Amino acid sequence: MSKQPNLDDFRVPYAGNGNGKKTAKFALTDFDTAAKPFSSGSKEADRERLAEIGKRLDELQERLHAQRRQRVLLVLQGMDTSGKDGTVRAVFHEVDPLGLRIVPFKVPTPLELAHDFLWRVHANAPAAGELTVFNRSHYEDVLVPRVLKQIDDAQTERRYKHIRQFEELLVDAGATIIKCFLHISKDEQKSRLQARIDDPTKHWKFDVSDIEARKFWDAYQDAYRDTLAATSTEYAPWYVIPADSKTHRNVMIAELLLRELEGMKLEFPPAKEALKGVKVE
Amino acid sequence: MSKQPNLDDFRVPYAGNGNGKKTAKFALTDFDTAAKPFSSGSKEADRERLAEIGKRLDELQERLHAQRRQRVLLVLQGMDTSGKDGTVRAVFHEVDPLGLRIVPFKVPTPLELAHDFLWRVHANAPAAGELTVFNRSHYEDVLVPRVLKQIDDAQTERRYKHIRQFEELLVDAGATIIKCFLHISKDEQKSRLQARIDDPTKHWKFDVSDIEARKFWDAYQDAYRDTLAATSTEYAPWYVIPADSKTHRNVMIAELLLRELEGMKLEFPPAKEALKGVKVE
C-alpha cells in the first residue's frame, strides 16, 4: 500500500467569507472518477471494512439519538446513476433504522413550487438526535434550472448565497453537515444507463428524459463545479467522491461519516441520579 | 417439532361490522407471553430464518417501491420495554432504508393536541410504494387517556369508531395494515426495566414515570384487551405476539409481514416499450 489517503484532499476549497466569489483553483477534472484511494485493493477486505465502519456508525448514531442535542445531515448529489441510492443502502446497512431518516427530493410539486426553494428542505432538516440523509437536495435548484436556463447568473448567485446562509443556520443550531458529490465519468454513466435499459425489472427507475439529460452532461459538470465552489464552506464542506467504483464510493463515504461523527465527541447523557439503586417492584 | 403454528390463531377476532359491539370471546390471558410457537428451538436457526425472511422482505419492498401503487403500514404497540424498538431493528435489518419509514409517536405536542387525535397520524400515513412502521400510534389515544380517566367510556367508544373508519379509508386507498400487540408479562417487564436502571448508558431510555405507569399494569391490560377487541377488523386485524422471548417476537413478526407482503402479489411494473432496444450514446 502507498501512503494513507487523506479525506481532506477531496474536500472542495472553501468558498471564502460567504461573499460568493468564485474559487479559482478548483476543477472537477482534477479528480479522477476511477480513482480508488480508499480501497484496499481487495473487494472482500473493502466489504469487511464497510461492515466494521457500519457497526461503529450504528454505535455513534445511538449516542446521537440518546443525547438529542446534536444532529447530522448527509447530502448526496450526483448525476443520474452516480449511486445515491446504492450509497444509502450500503453505508447504512448496519445502522438502526430507528435513528435514520432518508429524504428523497423529487421534482417539486405545485405546492412546493408555490414556496421559496428552501421551504421543503427546511421542513425536512434533521431534528435533535437525528441522522438525516438527503437523496438529492436543495442543490437541485441551482443545477437543473441553471442548465435549462430558467434562472440567470445573478439569480444563481443569489441562490448560492441563500444556501450558504441556510446551512449556517442549521449548523448554528447544532447540525453537522457533510456534502458528497458522487463523481462518475460519462462513460460509466453510459454503461449504467444501458444496464438499466437491458433489464426490464429496472425500467421503473428509468425515464426516457434521463437520456435527454445526458445530452447536457458538460453543462451539468460546469454547474456542479460552480455550485461546489460557491457553497463549500468551513461549516458545511463539499467532498468529491470518486464513484466509478461502487465499493470505493461506499467505503470512502463511510470513512468520511465515521471521521465526522467521531469528531462530534458523542457521549451518552449522564446517568440519572434519581435512578441510582432503584429496584423495580 | 409439533404441528406447524398458524398465524391466524394469534389474530384477534374481528370486531364485527364496525358497530363497536365488544367481542366476548377474546382475553389477553388466553395468550401465553412466554410461548414460542414460531421459534425452531435453536436461537441460531431462528436468527438464520430471520435473515432469510429479511432478504425476502427486502425484495418484496423493492417491488412495492417500484410499483408505487400499494402501501404497507405496520403498527407496533405494547407496554414499556415490550420490544417495539428492538423489533424495528431486527426485522428490518435487511430491508433497504430507502424504502422504509419509521414513525415514532411521542407525547403529543401542543400543536398536535390542538387537532383531533388522528391528525398527526394521517399526516404520517404511508404514501404509495411506502413501507411505514408506526412505533406507537393512534392507539395510544385510547389507552393512556382511558387509564388516566381523561376520557369516559362513551368517548373511548367514539374513538374506537373513528379509528376503524380511519383505517378503512387507508385500506380503500390501497394500504395493507398489520397491527401487532407485543405481549409481555409483568415479570418480564420488571426484569427489563431493572436492566435499564442497572446500566447507566440506558438511562436516557428511562423516565421515573415508567415506574409509575407500571402501577397501572392491570388497567392497561384491560384497556389493551378492549381496544384490540374493538378495532380488530377484517381489513386491519390485530395480532397478539408472545414477546417475552425477543427472538421469537422477531421471527413471528417477520413471518407475519412476509405472509402479508406475499399475499399482495407484488410485481415489478411492466417493461417500458419505449426503452426496448434503446442504445445509450
Side-chain angles (χ1 to χ4, degrees), chain B residues 34-259:
Chain B
K36 300 197 267 185
F38 293 88
S39 170
S40 66
S42 143
K43 208 166 222 178
E44 199 181 335
D46 284 353
R47 287 204 181 124
E48 274 168 31
R49 175 65 184 150
L50 194 58
E52 183 185 276
I53 299 176
K55 287 190 173 62
R56 185 76 188 120
L57 289 176
D58 182 48
E59 289 165 11
L60 290 164
Q61 182 275 322
E62 194 191 3
R63 290 169 184 219
L64 179 74
H65 178 70
Q67 189 187 72
R68 278 182 213 279
R69 192 164 52 76
Q70 292 162 280
R71 57 214 79 178
V72 177
L73 174 61
L74 174 67
V75 174
L76 298 178
Q77 283 285 159
M79 300 293 287
D80 281 336
T81 77
S82 61
K84 299 176 288 296
D85 289 7
T87 299
V88 171
R89 189 179 172 87
V91 172
F92 297 102
H93 188 261
E94 298 300 329
V95 176
D96 192 338
L98 283 176
L100 194 60
R101 197 158 54 88
I102 315 294
V103 185
F105 288 97
K106 311 275 183 188
V107 175
T109 64
L111 174 64
E112 289 169 349
L113 283 173
H115 288 271
D116 69 84
F117 78 104
L118 292 172
W119 179 76
R120 65 173 184 164
V121 180
H122 207 160
N124 283 291
E130 276 191 348
L131 170 49
T132 301
V133 182
F134 282 0
N135 188 351
R136 302 187 187 269
S137 67
H138 42 305
Y139 286 98
E140 291 293 312
D141 298 296
V142 283
L143 294 163
V144 182
R146 185 187 141 174
V147 167
L148 301 182
K149 299 192 197 306
Q150 294 161 344
I151 57 173
D152 63 21
D153 285 357
Q155 286 169 305
T156 304
E157 290 295 337
R158 286 196 65 75
R159 288 194 176 191
Y160 290 157
K161 186 177 164 195
H162 289 307
I163 287 176
R164 287 192 300 266
Q165 292 171 346
F166 167 67
E167 292 179 353
E168 193 175 18
L169 169 71
L170 300 188
V171 171
D172 276 351
T176 294
I177 302 180
I178 307 154
K179 301 184 293 197
C180 294
F181 170 64
L182 279 47
H183 191 31
I184 57 168
S185 70
K186 197 176 178 186
D187 274 353
E188 180 65 24
Q189 188 192 53
K190 180 180 173 177
S191 78
R192 293 186 187 180
L193 285 174
Q194 192 64 57
R196 287 188 186 175
I197 288 173
D198 296 344
D199 178 354
T201 73
K202 294 284 190 291
H203 281 192
W204 62 275
K205 287 192 179 189
F206 201 98
D207 195 88
V208 180
S209 69
D210 294 352
I211 294 181
E212 290 302 307
R214 185 170 157 78
K215 292 180 185 158
F216 295 97
W217 180 273
D218 292 340
Y220 272 109
Q221 294 290 308
D222 287 350
Y224 262 114
R225 186 262 165 222
D226 290 348
T227 297
L228 270 54
T231 59
S232 188
T233 56
E234 200 163 349
Y235 51 87
W238 274 107
Y239 293 84
V240 177
I241 313 291
D244 281 355
S245 155
K246 294 174 185 177
T247 310
H248 172 265
R249 171 200 76 206
N250 295 338
V251 172
M252 182 171 172
I253 294 176
E255 295 278 9
L256 177 60
L257 260 177
L258 179 63
R259 183 181 76 161

Side-chain angles (χ1 to χ4, degrees), chain A residues 37-263:
Chain A
F38 293 88
S39 171
S40 66
S42 143
K43 208 167 223 177
E44 198 181 335
D46 284 353
R47 288 206 180 121
E48 274 168 32
R49 175 66 183 149
L50 193 59
E52 182 184 279
I53 299 176
K55 287 189 173 65
R56 183 77 189 120
L57 289 176
D58 182 48
E59 289 166 9
L60 290 164
Q61 181 276 321
E62 194 191 2
R63 290 170 184 219
L64 180 74
H65 178 71
Q67 189 187 71
R68 277 179 214 282
R69 192 165 50 78
Q70 293 163 278
R71 57 214 80 178
V72 177
L73 174 60
L74 173 67
V75 174
L76 298 177
Q77 283 286 159
M79 300 294 286
D80 281 337
T81 77
S82 62
K84 299 177 288 294
D85 289 6
T87 298
V88 171
R89 188 178 172 87
V91 173
F92 297 102
H93 188 261
E94 298 300 329
V95 177
D96 193 338
L98 283 175
L100 194 61
R101 197 160 54 89
I102 316 294
V103 185
F105 287 98
K106 313 274 184 189
V107 175
T109 65
L111 174 64
E112 289 169 350
L113 284 173
H115 289 270
D116 69 84
F117 79 103
L118 293 171
W119 179 75
R120 64 174 184 165
V121 181
H122 208 161
N124 282 291
E130 275 191 347
L131 170 49
T132 300
V133 182
F134 282 179
N135 188 351
R136 302 187 188 270
S137 66
H138 42 304
Y139 286 99
E140 292 293 312
D141 298 296
V142 284
L143 295 162
V144 182
R146 185 187 141 174
V147 168
L148 301 182
K149 300 192 195 304
Q150 293 161 345
I151 57 174
D152 64 20
D153 285 357
Q155 286 169 307
T156 304
E157 290 295 338
R158 285 196 65 75
R159 287 196 176 189
Y160 289 157
K161 185 178 165 195
H162 289 307
I163 288 176
R164 288 192 301 267
Q165 292 171 348
F166 168 67
E167 292 179 352
E168 192 175 18
L169 169 70
L170 300 188
V171 171
D172 277 351
T176 294
I177 302 181
I178 306 154
K179 301 184 293 196
C180 294
F181 171 63
L182 279 48
H183 190 33
I184 57 167
S185 71
K186 196 175 177 186
D187 274 353
E188 180 64 24
Q189 188 192 52
K190 180 179 174 178
S191 78
R192 292 187 188 181
L193 285 175
Q194 193 64 57
R196 286 188 187 176
I197 288 173
D198 296 344
D199 178 355
T201 73
K202 294 283 190 291
H203 281 191
W204 62 274
K205 286 192 179 188
F206 201 99
D207 194 88
V208 180
S209 69
D210 295 351
I211 295 182
E212 289 303 308
R214 186 169 157 79
K215 293 180 184 158
F216 296 97
W217 180 274
D218 292 340
Y220 273 108
Q221 295 290 308
D222 288 350
Y224 263 114
R225 185 259 165 227
D226 290 349
T227 298
L228 270 54
T231 59
S232 188
T233 55
E234 199 164 350
Y235 51 87
W238 273 107
Y239 293 84
V240 177
I241 313 291
D244 280 356
S245 155
K246 294 174 184 177
T247 309
H248 172 265
R249 171 200 77 206
N250 295 338
V251 171
M252 181 172 173
I253 295 176
E255 295 279 8
L256 176 59
L257 260 176
L258 180 63
R259 182 181 78 160
E260 298 301 310
L261 267 73
E262 283 188 335

